[in-house]
Amino acid sequence: MELDTKTLRMLVRVALLTRDYAYAPYSQFHVGAALLTAKGRIYTGCNIENAGYSATNCAERTAFFKAVSESEREFAAIAIAGGKKDEPADYTPPCGICRQVMAEFCGPEFPVILVRSEEEYQIYTLAELYPMGFSPKNLE
Ligand code: THU
């Protein structure tokens, strides 16, 4: 799916807005994600922390798991906006586990958009962020 400017800007905005829903009482680091499916639907996700810290779920995985649990399997892009609570977003790269989840469903050209503001964002491919990732191809 073509990532036109209008869609790109929409994803950026939705990631920034979704950040408001973060449940992060332990780190105070709020992250929002907006995941675009190949069919053009957007699934949102925020980080959801837990008193048992390792039970925390990142924003990106929340978005992927919501989408996959609703039968989506093909994705066009993800935008991520993170930063300290009550502070503007800053470029927040996805953690290693989220990169691994992306590698399960997305190819090397999958665009990962790191968002600082509506006007400031950087686009990387999954291959740039996660070279030589373990993927379903390795199990063939
Ligand atoms: N976090 C995300 O939601 N996504 C990332 O890619 C990086 C980290 C969350 C997890 C935790 O709730 C907080 O940010 C601090 O690590």
Side-chain angles (χ1 to χ4, degrees):
M1 188 192 163
E2 181 71 14
L3 196 58
D4 57 77
T5 308
K6 192 171 157 231
T7 309
L8 180 60
R9 291 183 70 86
M10 169 81 82
L11 273 185
V12 165
R13 285 195 66 192
V14 173
L16 285 164
L17 290 169
T18 304
R19 217 189 131 205
D20 284 350
Y21 299 132
Y23 175 75
Y26 306 105
S27 73
Q28 314 289 327
F29 194 85
H30 287 202
V31 187
L35 175 62
L36 179 69
T37 71
K39 291 179 216 148
R41 197 173 159 186
I42 295 176
Y43 286 83
T44 60
C46 64
N47 54 330
I48 305 169
E49 297 190 343
N50 192 283
Y53 293 176
S54 58
T56 291
N57 209 58
C58 288
E60 300 90 319
R61 273 177 289 143
T62 302
F64 268 94
F65 295 160
K66 282 171 67 178
V68 173
S69 70
E70 294 189 24
S71 85
E72 303 286 356
R73 295 288 187 278
E74 290 175 28
F75 302 99
I78 190 168
I80 307 160
K84 286 187 189 155
K85 184 184 176 216
D86 301 327
E87 289 185 19
D90 204 352
Y91 301 122
T92 300
C95 82
I97 297 173
C98 289
R99 293 177 202 211
Q100 181 64 33
V101 168
M102 291 176 197
E104 182 67 26
F105 297 103
C106 309
E109 299 308 318
F110 179 69
V112 180
I113 306 152
L114 308 187
V115 179
R116 177 182 264 171
S117 71
E118 283 197 37
E119 290 77 34
E120 298 169 292
Y121 46 84
Q122 301 173 342
I123 307 177
Y124 297 90
T125 64
L126 181 56
E128 286 176 308
L129 296 181
Y130 200 43
M132 276 191 77
F134 188 77
S135 79
K137 281 196 188 327
N138 296 102
L139 295 177
E140 281 170 10

